Amino acid sequence: MVFFTEFIHRTSHVRPAFLTHIMPAITIRDYLSSPKPIMENADEQFMHEALAEAEAAHDAGEVPVGAIVVLAGEVIGRGRNAVIATSDPTAHAEIVALREAAAKLGNYRLTGSTIYSTIEPCAMCAGALVHARVARLVYGAKDTKAGAVETHFGICAAEFLNHQVSVEGGILESDCRRMLQSFFLERR
């Protein structure tokens, strides 16, 4: 076993000559030690789109929260807070994005989809993610008061529910937090 690990360690930088014209010049060592996985870059790209939705909510006088739903690399739903404009207490960004995605697919089950939200979802939105069978939630900033995914309740991971949502928080966290903080500072 020692010989094998030493062999891998010594030869992981070696590139067979027949591959040089087919594959880019990246070694296994380079790939494994790269600072950001490919998915994380996609997560940041999609979070930027959610931030654009949050900016549009801000411009409309709403709390700046944005969300998008992605399936197979394609955005299928966009949402921003619209509680004031619609006089609808359920018009949170995540709910609006889920509604648009479900309408586009013609199915309320969004199996295999990922939702990107600029803030940790509340209990209502987290419950909707479970009911919609969303596979993955990626959010920016934690919500210390109403966050129901990791901060309080743990709704997306509750084993007594019939579906669990994979969760990753902290993507572009400072940008998401800064947008919310500046909004509330403007209001004071």
Side-chain angles (χ1 to χ4, degrees), residues 47-48 51 54-55 58 62-66 117-120 139-143 170-188:
M47 187 60 75
H48 279 293
L51 278 164
E55 184 70 36
H58 175 273
E62 302 276 355
V63 175
V65 177
S117 178
T118 57
I119 192 167
E120 179 184 5
Y139 71 86
K142 284 192 179 286
D143 184 347
I171 304 297
L172 299 181
E173 181 176 10
S174 59
D175 295 340
C176 296
R177 180 178 292 113
R178 188 174 21 258
M179 185 174 289
L180 282 164
Q181 288 174 339
S182 65
F183 174 80
F184 288 112
L185 284 174
E186 289 171 9
R187 297 281 183 186
R188 292 183 183 158

Short mmCIF file of all heavy atoms in Angstrom, two decimals, residues 47-48 51 54-55 58 62-66 117-120 139-143 170-188:
data_model
loop_
_atom_site.label_atom_id
_atom_site.label_comp_id
_atom_site.label_asym_id
_atom_site.label_seq_id
_atom_site.Cartn_x
_atom_site.Cartn_y
_atom_site.Cartn_z
N MET A 47 -26.26 32.96 -7.49
CA MET A 47 -26.55 33.87 -6.37
C MET A 47 -26.50 35.31 -6.84
O MET A 47 -27.27 36.15 -6.35
CB MET A 47 -25.58 33.62 -5.21
CG MET A 47 -25.96 34.40 -3.96
SD MET A 47 -27.61 34.01 -3.30
CE MET A 47 -27.27 32.42 -2.55
N HIS A 48 -25.64 35.63 -7.79
CA HIS A 48 -25.62 36.98 -8.36
C HIS A 48 -26.97 37.29 -9.02
O HIS A 48 -27.46 38.42 -8.94
CB HIS A 48 -24.47 37.16 -9.36
CG HIS A 48 -23.15 37.43 -8.73
ND1 HIS A 48 -22.87 38.59 -8.04
CD2 HIS A 48 -22.02 36.67 -8.65
CE1 HIS A 48 -21.64 38.55 -7.58
NE2 HIS A 48 -21.10 37.39 -7.93
N LEU A 51 -29.32 38.05 -6.30
CA LEU A 51 -29.04 39.41 -5.81
C LEU A 51 -29.64 40.47 -6.73
O LEU A 51 -30.10 41.52 -6.26
CB LEU A 51 -27.53 39.63 -5.66
CG LEU A 51 -26.92 39.09 -4.38
CD1 LEU A 51 -25.40 38.99 -4.51
CD2 LEU A 51 -27.32 39.95 -3.19
N ALA A 54 -33.12 40.77 -5.75
CA ALA A 54 -33.20 41.51 -4.48
C ALA A 54 -33.07 43.01 -4.73
O ALA A 54 -33.78 43.81 -4.11
CB ALA A 54 -32.11 41.03 -3.53
N GLU A 55 -32.19 43.38 -5.65
CA GLU A 55 -32.03 44.79 -6.00
C GLU A 55 -33.32 45.35 -6.60
O GLU A 55 -33.72 46.48 -6.29
CB GLU A 55 -30.86 44.94 -6.99
CG GLU A 55 -30.53 46.37 -7.35
CD GLU A 55 -29.92 47.15 -6.20
OE1 GLU A 55 -29.16 46.58 -5.41
OE2 GLU A 55 -30.23 48.36 -6.07
N HIS A 58 -35.67 45.99 -3.82
CA HIS A 58 -35.27 47.23 -3.14
C HIS A 58 -35.78 48.45 -3.90
O HIS A 58 -36.34 49.38 -3.32
CB HIS A 58 -33.75 47.27 -3.03
CG HIS A 58 -33.22 48.55 -2.47
ND1 HIS A 58 -32.94 49.63 -3.27
CD2 HIS A 58 -32.93 48.92 -1.21
CE1 HIS A 58 -32.50 50.62 -2.52
NE2 HIS A 58 -32.48 50.21 -1.26
N GLU A 62 -39.56 47.26 -1.50
CA GLU A 62 -39.75 46.02 -0.73
C GLU A 62 -38.45 45.67 -0.01
O GLU A 62 -37.38 46.14 -0.38
CB GLU A 62 -40.13 44.86 -1.66
CG GLU A 62 -41.37 45.07 -2.48
CD GLU A 62 -42.66 44.73 -1.75
OE1 GLU A 62 -42.61 44.22 -0.61
OE2 GLU A 62 -43.73 44.97 -2.33
N VAL A 63 -38.56 44.82 1.01
CA VAL A 63 -37.36 44.30 1.65
C VAL A 63 -36.56 43.55 0.58
O VAL A 63 -37.12 42.70 -0.12
CB VAL A 63 -37.72 43.36 2.83
CG1 VAL A 63 -36.47 42.73 3.43
CG2 VAL A 63 -38.50 44.12 3.90
N PRO A 64 -35.27 43.87 0.42
CA PRO A 64 -34.50 43.33 -0.70
C PRO A 64 -34.08 41.86 -0.53
O PRO A 64 -32.98 41.55 -0.11
CB PRO A 64 -33.28 44.24 -0.77
CG PRO A 64 -33.10 44.69 0.64
CD PRO A 64 -34.47 44.81 1.21
N VAL A 65 -34.99 40.98 -0.87
CA VAL A 65 -34.72 39.56 -0.88
C VAL A 65 -35.05 39.05 -2.27
O VAL A 65 -36.10 39.40 -2.82
CB VAL A 65 -35.54 38.79 0.19
CG1 VAL A 65 -35.27 37.29 0.10
CG2 VAL A 65 -35.22 39.31 1.59
N GLY A 66 -34.15 38.25 -2.83
CA GLY A 66 -34.37 37.69 -4.15
C GLY A 66 -34.13 36.19 -4.14
O GLY A 66 -33.40 35.68 -3.29
N SER A 117 -31.46 31.69 -2.64
CA SER A 117 -32.11 32.79 -1.94
C SER A 117 -31.04 33.64 -1.26
O SER A 117 -30.08 33.11 -0.71
CB SER A 117 -33.09 32.26 -0.89
OG SER A 117 -33.67 33.32 -0.17
N THR A 118 -31.24 34.94 -1.28
CA THR A 118 -30.24 35.83 -0.70
C THR A 118 -30.23 35.78 0.82
O THR A 118 -29.27 36.23 1.43
CB THR A 118 -30.46 37.28 -1.17
OG1 THR A 118 -31.78 37.69 -0.83
CG2 THR A 118 -30.24 37.39 -2.68
N ILE A 119 -31.28 35.23 1.42
CA ILE A 119 -31.35 35.12 2.87
C ILE A 119 -31.91 33.75 3.25
O ILE A 119 -32.64 33.13 2.47
CB ILE A 119 -32.21 36.26 3.48
CG1 ILE A 119 -32.05 36.35 4.99
CG2 ILE A 119 -33.67 36.11 3.09
CD1 ILE A 119 -32.62 37.62 5.60
N GLU A 120 -31.56 33.30 4.42
CA GLU A 120 -32.09 32.03 4.93
C GLU A 120 -33.61 32.10 4.98
O GLU A 120 -34.17 33.04 5.56
CB GLU A 120 -31.52 31.78 6.33
CG GLU A 120 -31.99 30.52 6.98
CD GLU A 120 -31.49 30.37 8.40
OE1 GLU A 120 -30.83 31.30 8.94
OE2 GLU A 120 -31.76 29.32 9.00
N TYR A 139 -28.30 29.49 0.13
CA TYR A 139 -28.67 30.84 0.56
C TYR A 139 -27.44 31.65 0.92
O TYR A 139 -26.37 31.11 1.15
CB TYR A 139 -29.69 30.81 1.71
CG TYR A 139 -29.15 30.35 3.04
CD1 TYR A 139 -28.56 31.24 3.93
CD2 TYR A 139 -29.26 29.02 3.44
CE1 TYR A 139 -28.08 30.83 5.15
CE2 TYR A 139 -28.79 28.60 4.66
CZ TYR A 139 -28.20 29.51 5.51
OH TYR A 139 -27.71 29.09 6.74
N GLY A 140 -27.64 32.97 0.94
CA GLY A 140 -26.54 33.88 1.24
C GLY A 140 -26.34 34.10 2.72
O GLY A 140 -25.50 33.48 3.36
N ALA A 141 -27.15 34.98 3.30
CA ALA A 141 -26.98 35.38 4.70
C ALA A 141 -27.96 34.66 5.61
O ALA A 141 -29.09 34.38 5.23
CB ALA A 141 -27.18 36.89 4.82
N LYS A 142 -27.49 34.37 6.81
CA LYS A 142 -28.39 33.80 7.83
C LYS A 142 -29.38 34.87 8.27
O LYS A 142 -29.08 36.05 8.24
CB LYS A 142 -27.60 33.33 9.05
CG LYS A 142 -26.88 32.03 8.84
CD LYS A 142 -26.37 31.51 10.17
CE LYS A 142 -25.65 30.20 10.01
NZ LYS A 142 -26.51 29.07 9.77
N ASP A 143 -30.56 34.43 8.68
CA ASP A 143 -31.56 35.33 9.25
C ASP A 143 -31.70 34.96 10.72
O ASP A 143 -32.35 33.98 11.07
CB ASP A 143 -32.90 35.16 8.52
CG ASP A 143 -33.95 36.14 8.99
OD1 ASP A 143 -33.75 36.80 10.05
OD2 ASP A 143 -34.98 36.27 8.31
N GLY A 170 -24.18 30.68 3.16
CA GLY A 170 -22.97 31.49 3.15
C GLY A 170 -22.41 31.82 1.79
O GLY A 170 -21.31 32.37 1.68
N ILE A 171 -23.15 31.54 0.71
CA ILE A 171 -22.68 31.88 -0.63
C ILE A 171 -22.91 33.38 -0.86
O ILE A 171 -24.03 33.86 -0.75
CB ILE A 171 -23.39 31.06 -1.72
CG1 ILE A 171 -23.23 29.57 -1.45
CG2 ILE A 171 -22.89 31.43 -3.11
CD1 ILE A 171 -21.80 29.05 -1.50
N LEU A 172 -21.84 34.12 -1.12
CA LEU A 172 -21.87 35.59 -1.26
C LEU A 172 -22.56 36.23 -0.04
O LEU A 172 -23.30 37.20 -0.17
CB LEU A 172 -22.56 36.01 -2.56
CG LEU A 172 -21.92 35.52 -3.86
CD1 LEU A 172 -22.69 36.04 -5.07
CD2 LEU A 172 -20.46 35.92 -3.95
N GLU A 173 -22.27 35.67 1.10
CA GLU A 173 -22.92 36.10 2.34
C GLU A 173 -22.78 37.59 2.62
O GLU A 173 -23.74 38.27 2.96
CB GLU A 173 -22.38 35.30 3.52
CG GLU A 173 -23.01 35.64 4.85
CD GLU A 173 -22.51 34.76 5.98
OE1 GLU A 173 -21.54 34.00 5.78
OE2 GLU A 173 -23.09 34.84 7.06
N SER A 174 -21.57 38.12 2.47
CA SER A 174 -21.36 39.54 2.79
C SER A 174 -22.15 40.44 1.85
O SER A 174 -22.71 41.45 2.28
CB SER A 174 -19.88 39.89 2.77
OG SER A 174 -19.33 39.63 1.51
N ASP A 175 -22.24 40.09 0.57
CA ASP A 175 -23.02 40.89 -0.38
C ASP A 175 -24.50 40.87 -0.01
O ASP A 175 -25.18 41.90 -0.05
CB ASP A 175 -22.86 40.37 -1.80
CG ASP A 175 -21.44 40.51 -2.33
OD1 ASP A 175 -20.68 41.34 -1.78
OD2 ASP A 175 -21.09 39.80 -3.28
N CYS A 176 -24.99 39.69 0.33
CA CYS A 176 -26.41 39.55 0.69
C CYS A 176 -26.73 40.30 1.97
O CYS A 176 -27.74 41.01 2.06
CB CYS A 176 -26.77 38.07 0.85
SG CYS A 176 -26.63 37.11 -0.68
N ARG A 177 -25.88 40.17 2.96
CA ARG A 177 -26.09 40.86 4.24
C ARG A 177 -26.01 42.37 4.06
O ARG A 177 -26.83 43.11 4.58
CB ARG A 177 -25.06 40.39 5.27
CG ARG A 177 -25.26 41.10 6.62
CD ARG A 177 -24.30 40.63 7.70
NE ARG A 177 -24.61 39.26 8.06
CZ ARG A 177 -23.82 38.22 7.81
NH1 ARG A 177 -22.67 38.40 7.21
NH2 ARG A 177 -24.16 37.01 8.17
N ARG A 178 -25.02 42.81 3.29
CA ARG A 178 -24.84 44.25 3.07
C ARG A 178 -26.08 44.87 2.42
O ARG A 178 -26.51 45.96 2.79
CB ARG A 178 -23.60 44.49 2.21
CG ARG A 178 -23.20 45.93 2.08
CD ARG A 178 -21.87 46.16 1.34
NE ARG A 178 -21.40 45.11 0.46
CZ ARG A 178 -20.42 44.24 0.78
NH1 ARG A 178 -19.84 44.31 1.95
NH2 ARG A 178 -20.06 43.32 -0.08
N MET A 179 -26.69 44.17 1.48
CA MET A 179 -27.88 44.70 0.82
C MET A 179 -29.03 44.88 1.82
O MET A 179 -29.70 45.91 1.82
CB MET A 179 -28.32 43.79 -0.33
CG MET A 179 -29.50 44.36 -1.11
SD MET A 179 -29.93 43.41 -2.55
CE MET A 179 -28.54 43.76 -3.61
N LEU A 180 -29.23 43.90 2.66
CA LEU A 180 -30.30 43.98 3.67
C LEU A 180 -30.00 45.09 4.68
O LEU A 180 -30.88 45.89 5.02
CB LEU A 180 -30.47 42.65 4.39
CG LEU A 180 -31.22 41.59 3.62
CD1 LEU A 180 -31.00 40.22 4.23
CD2 LEU A 180 -32.71 41.92 3.59
N GLN A 181 -28.77 45.13 5.17
CA GLN A 181 -28.41 46.14 6.17
C GLN A 181 -28.55 47.56 5.63
O GLN A 181 -29.07 48.44 6.32
CB GLN A 181 -26.99 45.90 6.67
CG GLN A 181 -26.87 44.69 7.56
CD GLN A 181 -25.44 44.35 7.94
OE1 GLN A 181 -24.48 44.76 7.26
NE2 GLN A 181 -25.28 43.59 9.01
N SER A 182 -28.11 47.77 4.39
CA SER A 182 -28.22 49.12 3.83
C SER A 182 -29.68 49.52 3.65
O SER A 182 -30.04 50.69 3.84
CB SER A 182 -27.45 49.23 2.51
OG SER A 182 -28.03 48.41 1.53
N PHE A 183 -30.53 48.58 3.29
CA PHE A 183 -31.96 48.87 3.15
C PHE A 183 -32.55 49.36 4.47
O PHE A 183 -33.25 50.37 4.51
CB PHE A 183 -32.71 47.63 2.67
CG PHE A 183 -34.20 47.79 2.64
CD1 PHE A 183 -34.82 48.46 1.59
CD2 PHE A 183 -34.99 47.29 3.66
CE1 PHE A 183 -36.20 48.61 1.56
CE2 PHE A 183 -36.37 47.44 3.63
CZ PHE A 183 -36.97 48.10 2.58
N PHE A 184 -32.25 48.64 5.55
CA PHE A 184 -32.83 49.01 6.83
C PHE A 184 -32.20 50.27 7.41
O PHE A 184 -32.88 51.05 8.10
CB PHE A 184 -32.75 47.84 7.83
CG PHE A 184 -33.72 46.75 7.47
CD1 PHE A 184 -33.29 45.52 7.03
CD2 PHE A 184 -35.10 46.97 7.55
CE1 PHE A 184 -34.18 44.51 6.68
CE2 PHE A 184 -36.01 45.98 7.19
CZ PHE A 184 -35.54 44.75 6.77
N LEU A 185 -30.94 50.55 7.07
CA LEU A 185 -30.32 51.81 7.47
C LEU A 185 -30.99 52.99 6.76
O LEU A 185 -31.16 54.07 7.36
CB LEU A 185 -28.82 51.79 7.20
CG LEU A 185 -27.98 51.00 8.17
CD1 LEU A 185 -26.52 50.93 7.68
CD2 LEU A 185 -28.05 51.57 9.57
N GLU A 186 -31.35 52.81 5.50
CA GLU A 186 -32.03 53.87 4.75
C GLU A 186 -33.40 54.18 5.37
O GLU A 186 -33.86 55.32 5.31
CB GLU A 186 -32.27 53.42 3.30
CG GLU A 186 -31.04 53.35 2.45
CD GLU A 186 -31.32 52.70 1.10
OE1 GLU A 186 -32.50 52.47 0.76
OE2 GLU A 186 -30.35 52.42 0.38
N ARG A 187 -34.05 53.18 5.92
CA ARG A 187 -35.39 53.34 6.49
C ARG A 187 -35.39 54.07 7.82
O ARG A 187 -36.42 54.57 8.24
CB ARG A 187 -36.05 51.97 6.69
CG ARG A 187 -36.28 51.21 5.42
CD ARG A 187 -37.50 51.73 4.75
NE ARG A 187 -37.80 50.96 3.55
CZ ARG A 187 -38.73 51.27 2.72
NH1 ARG A 187 -39.46 52.34 2.93
NH2 ARG A 187 -38.96 50.56 1.65
N ARG A 188 -34.25 54.08 8.50
CA ARG A 188 -34.19 54.69 9.84
C ARG A 188 -33.99 56.15 9.82
O ARG A 188 -33.72 56.89 9.06
CB ARG A 188 -33.09 54.04 10.67
CG ARG A 188 -33.45 52.61 10.98
CD ARG A 188 -32.41 51.97 11.84
NE ARG A 188 -32.79 50.59 12.03
CZ ARG A 188 -31.97 49.64 12.36
NH1 ARG A 188 -30.69 49.92 12.56
NH2 ARG A 188 -32.36 48.41 12.53
#
